[in-house]
Amino acid sequence: MDILMGIWTWIANNILTQPAYFIGVIVVLGYALLKKPWYDILAGFIKAVIGYQILSVGSSGLTNAFRPILVGLQERFNMSAMVIDPYFGQNAVQAAMEDPNGPAFIAGKSFSLVMFLLLFAFILNIVLVALKKYTKCRALFTTGHVQVQQASTAFFLILFCFPALRDQDWATLAIMTILLGLYWAVGSNLCIGPSQELTDGAGLTIAHQQMFGVYLSSKVAGWMNDHSKKKSKNVDDIKLPGFLKIFNENLVATAILMTVFFGIILVILGRDFLVAQGFMTESQDFVMYIITTSFEFAVYLSILQLGVRTFVTELTNSFQGISSKLLKGSVPGVDCAVTFGFGAPNAVTIGFLFGALGQFLAIGLLILLGSPVVVMAGFVPLFFDNATIGVYANHKGGLRACMLLPFISGLLQVFGSALIAGWVGMAAYGGYLGMWDWAVVWPIMTGLMKFLSYAGLVIVIVALIAIPQLQYRAHKDTYFMEVEDWEQCKKIRAEQAAAKAAAKAAK
């Protein structure tokens, strides 16, 4: 048993929780099933891994560029707060697991149970896709680092709802496996339609922390556009006059907007504080520091988009082998940053800025209202949730949706996280995952399970099972075609939309 546990621990630590190598292994498997020559398989593996590593460099760079603001708001104004960020959230869960008085403490076995939960939930995701004829689930969640964060947080929330499970390891794992495996399969399946429309059939979907948020935002954006007297233009279709034309260039627009955004906050923090914290040296010019830091945002965003282009091609091409031989009619669920390479580039910046506005407004309201839980903005929800929602919202509803929906997302992230983290006690450990699904969907699920006990658990499970069934009923004729033959699916849906419009006009 110890040998098997050792092998699983190595695989979990070095493959499943390392998305670059996890995706590399998927590429190797897919190309092998397609009977590609060994040198093409090797090249595909290398490009997939390096592409994801490039994406990671861009993501880390964006986070580091934003760090002076996060540290400054906390230290400069003596704000002792809970940070909404998946990495702070994971650290908070780890601290709770090590606390004998915490709800997630099971005599030193918490971490190993989380690793088993990761394995079993992933296996359930595979089974649900393999049985897609009955389950209607078509997506495999492949974002390993996200799965670890979610498994840890779900572990905490479920033990909070059912404290008696602390003495029943296998019952704990069974309940958690069903909930988390369903969430992964159903959430990533929800995003297939919007993602196929956004990428024009690239054959992938979102597997991250805002899957329900992306789906709902896409639907609301489409509804806004359909019911508006004046259609809102797509961000890329807006041609600005005069000197404003410079904003038509993504790099220029991002650099200028970030300089204004960063500049105002950094000026408020002050040069002396930044020097004292080690963010800049005594010899550095303050203005040049602001410009350089702001421009780095545009640099790392470009790096991230390069990484997306590098690995997505290999992943989608190789996954044809998996979808045709092992999991027929399925697509891979990948990091939400992949969408930045397909949508309007400026939608990323606009989504981030309006999401930040929503978060900062919500934080201000919590402070004014004397909330017992003070929330600190974390960069990952601030950027990746809201920029992703901005991309999908712009595609379906134009600029108006691209501004409004990330703003609402920012409000929900702060208020929802403050509510759930304060209630379950996670705020005391300094962090919470804080992204859209975990600030909106999981608090609802947690409430049902806590107040209705096992009846609430049944309601949650039935609701998750029902979601893909309802999706299927809405588009029975093209539901599986959406994955298997996008061009034909697009053609049929266009004809249906035209017929519906003609019938409406005839009335």
Side-chain angles (χ1 to χ4, degrees), residues 22 58 400 450:
F22 190 15
R400 186 165 48 236
K450 185 64 175 177

Side-chain angles (χ1 to χ4, degrees), residues 30 33 65 72 79 90 92 101 211 215 292 314-315 335 393 453 470 473:
L33 290 170
M79 290 175 63
Q90 192 170 354
N101 298 314
M211 298 176 292
Y215 175 79
T292 302
E314 298 302 320
L315 178 62
D335 195 299
S453 189
L470 294 173
R473 286 177 178 275

Side-chain angles (χ1 to χ4, degrees), residues 16-36:
L16 289 182
T17 60
Q18 301 296 323
Y21 292 104
F22 190 15
I23 287 174
V25 169
I26 290 174
V27 168
V28 168
L29 177 60
Y31 279 153
L33 290 170
L34 290 172
K35 298 182 179 179
K36 293 275 188 178

Side-chain angles (χ1 to χ4, degrees), residues 5 16 23 46-47 63 84 89 115 118 120 142 242 308 349 367 375 398 487 491 501:
M5 186 60 188
L16 289 182
I23 287 174
I46 292 172
K47 284 191 282 186
T63 303
I84 51 172
M115 288 296 99
L118 176 69
F120 296 158
T142 67
V308 168
T349 305
I367 294 171
V375 171
E487 290 302 321
K491 180 182 176 182

Side-chain angles (χ1 to χ4, degrees), residues 15-67:
I15 304 295
L16 289 182
T17 60
Q18 301 296 323
Y21 292 104
F22 190 15
I23 287 174
V25 169
I26 290 174
V27 168
V28 168
L29 177 60
Y31 279 153
L33 290 170
L34 290 172
K35 298 182 179 179
K36 293 275 188 178
W38 69 267
Y39 46 85
D40 282 346
I41 295 175
L42 176 61
F45 172 80
I46 292 172
K47 284 191 282 186
V49 171
I50 292 177
Y52 203 98
Q53 288 174 334
I54 293 172
L55 181 147
S56 297
V57 169
S59 297
S60 299
L62 289 169
T63 303
N64 291 333
F66 204 73
R67 190 167 177 270

Side-chain angles (χ1 to χ4, degrees), residues 488-501:
Q488 183 64 17
C489 172
K490 190 166 61 171
K491 180 182 176 182
I492 293 173
R493 290 185 180 177
E495 290 171 352
Q496 291 172 343
K500 186 177 180 181

